[in-house]
Amino acid sequence: MHPEAPIRLILIRPGTSAPPASGTPPGGPLGASLGGLTPAGRAQARACGRWLRSVAVPLFTAGGFSVVSSPARQAQETAELLGLGPWKPSADLSRPPARGPSFAAGAYPSSAAAADLPRWTPADLRERVAAWLAGPEVAGASVAAVVAVCPLDVLLAVRSVLESDSPWRPGHCDVLAYSRLSPDGEVVDRYRWRVWVSQPWSAPPGWNEKLWQPID
């Protein structure tokens, strides 16, 4: 972990989205074909933002914070409705790999016809997420906290990189946060504490430091 990496990393899953538009081709990044937020999704994002602003002074303002969002429409609408201030589009971590080379007809058996199509695997995404965490948007952000609105697949990949795989799946606008600040106030060299706030609009206002749990 870069010594100037944010002390806090706050991840938010976008609000509930409309289904894909009729005629949308299958494949591609998870969530890329979804529509914008539903009325429920917009309400979730606003409520999540109100809760986050209730903890903004102690959690974010000392050292500053930045807000980034996945390019997906539902993520960017969520970032806007959080009301935390200006936000920036982040790298498109969910994009599939570049297309492979084209093969001459008859060079491969028909069963290999898919060899020319983009491949996406959890391992690919995990590698991209690890590079993102070590790159300028997170490790080089020069702020005390980064708030990132990211789709479910990216959020789970971040969790896999920072701790371990888990069957836990966050709900829409749930908050998953990581910290490098120990209970005694020492800043350590990696994210060693985590807190998950499910449905933050129903959570008590403020950020209770006792919520942070050590990562095994």
Side-chain angles (χ1 to χ4, degrees):
M1 183 66 64
H2 192 280
E4 296 183 1
I7 295 173
R8 313 280 201 189
L9 175 63
I10 297 93
L11 308 172
I12 303 166
R13 183 181 175 187
T16 302
S17 305
S22 177
T24 300
L30 181 62
S33 62
L34 294 177
L37 298 179
T38 64
R42 291 192 289 272
Q44 291 164 350
R46 292 189 184 98
C48 180
R50 285 194 295 271
W51 184 83
L52 283 169
R53 292 193 298 275
S54 78
V55 303
V57 172
L59 183 62
F60 299 155
T61 56
F65 69 98
S66 64
V67 182
V68 297
S69 169
S70 160
R73 178 181 172 186
Q74 66 272 22
Q76 295 194 351
E77 288 184 5
T78 299
E80 184 72 26
L81 292 171
L82 290 176
L84 296 175
W87 57 272
K88 299 179 295 184
S90 70
D92 189 1
L93 299 175
S94 290
R95 72 187 187 282
R99 295 184 66 89
S102 296
F103 297 102
Y108 289 86
S110 58
S111 60
D116 193 32
L117 299 178
R119 301 295 192 188
W120 182 93
T121 69
D124 294 330
L125 181 55
R126 192 178 186 279
E127 288 182 5
R128 291 200 293 275
V129 161
W132 175 69
L133 292 171
E137 284 189 3
V138 180
S142 300
V143 291
V146 168
V147 180
V149 183
C150 46
L152 179 62
D153 57 339
V154 172
L155 196 154
L156 295 179
V158 172
R159 182 169 189 181
S160 177
V161 169
L162 294 181
E163 41 181 320
S164 62
D165 292 319
S166 170
W168 168 75
R169 294 171 65 87
H172 293 288
C173 284
D174 280 5
V175 175
L176 176 63
Y178 292 93
S179 178
R180 298 199 294 125
L181 184 66
S182 70
D184 60 7
E186 178 187 5
V187 177
V188 300
D189 61 357
R190 65 183 179 91
Y191 293 116
R192 295 188 58 190
W193 291 271
R194 180 202 70 200
V195 62
W196 167 40
V197 182
S198 177
Q199 298 185 342
W201 47 88
S202 62
W207 192 288
N208 184 348
E209 291 295 324
K210 294 181 181 179
L211 292 174
W212 294 98
Q213 298 294 321
I215 296 173
D216 296 332

